């Protein structure tokens, strides 16, 4: 930790599950939760598309997706 990923400053790991880890990060003064997946498939891409459309007080706002440092939002 203390590293960066596509311009996000990684601050801490805040969770871990069967699909990967969740990291706390920051970019341009805004804090983010970053979901880092072990693998990627069509379901993951569909989840990103759905999250991009949602806006709710109890859901962290979706920002962007990238795979192997390639942004695909």
């Amino acid at each position: 930790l203390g590293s960066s990923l596509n311009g996000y400053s990684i601050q801490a790991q805040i969770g871990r599950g069967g699909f990967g880890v969740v990291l706390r990060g920051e970019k341009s003064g805004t804090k983010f939760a970053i979901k880092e997946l072990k693998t990627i498939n069509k379901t993951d891409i569909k989840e990103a598309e759905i999250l991009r459309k949602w806006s709710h007080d109890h859901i962290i706002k979706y920002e962007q997706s990238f795979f192997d440092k390639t942004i695909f939002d």
Side-chain angles (χ1 to χ4, degrees):
L1 300 176
S3 61
S4 66
L5 181 65
N6 276 53
Y8 294 87
S9 170
I10 306 302
Q11 300 168 339
Q13 180 178 313
I14 56 177
R16 174 178 290 280
F19 295 105
V21 298
V22 179
L23 307 167
R24 182 175 63 229
E26 187 174 322
K27 183 176 183 178
S28 302
T30 302
K31 294 179 182 179
F32 293 94
I34 300 166
K35 185 176 180 181
E36 185 176 36
L37 303 175
K38 293 178 184 176
T39 61
I40 190 166
N41 58 43
K42 290 180 183 180
T43 302
D44 300 321
I45 293 170
K46 186 68 175 174
E47 177 183 330
E49 291 171 353
I50 292 168
L51 288 173
R52 184 180 303 124
K53 297 175 186 177
W54 282 2
S55 177
H56 191 279
D57 292 342
H58 300 291
I59 299 174
I60 295 173
K61 184 182 178 301
Y62 171 86
E63 182 67 19
Q64 69 181 179
S65 298
F66 48 88
F67 178 70
D68 194 26
K69 302 191 188 290
T70 301
I71 297 172
F72 65 93
D73 55 7

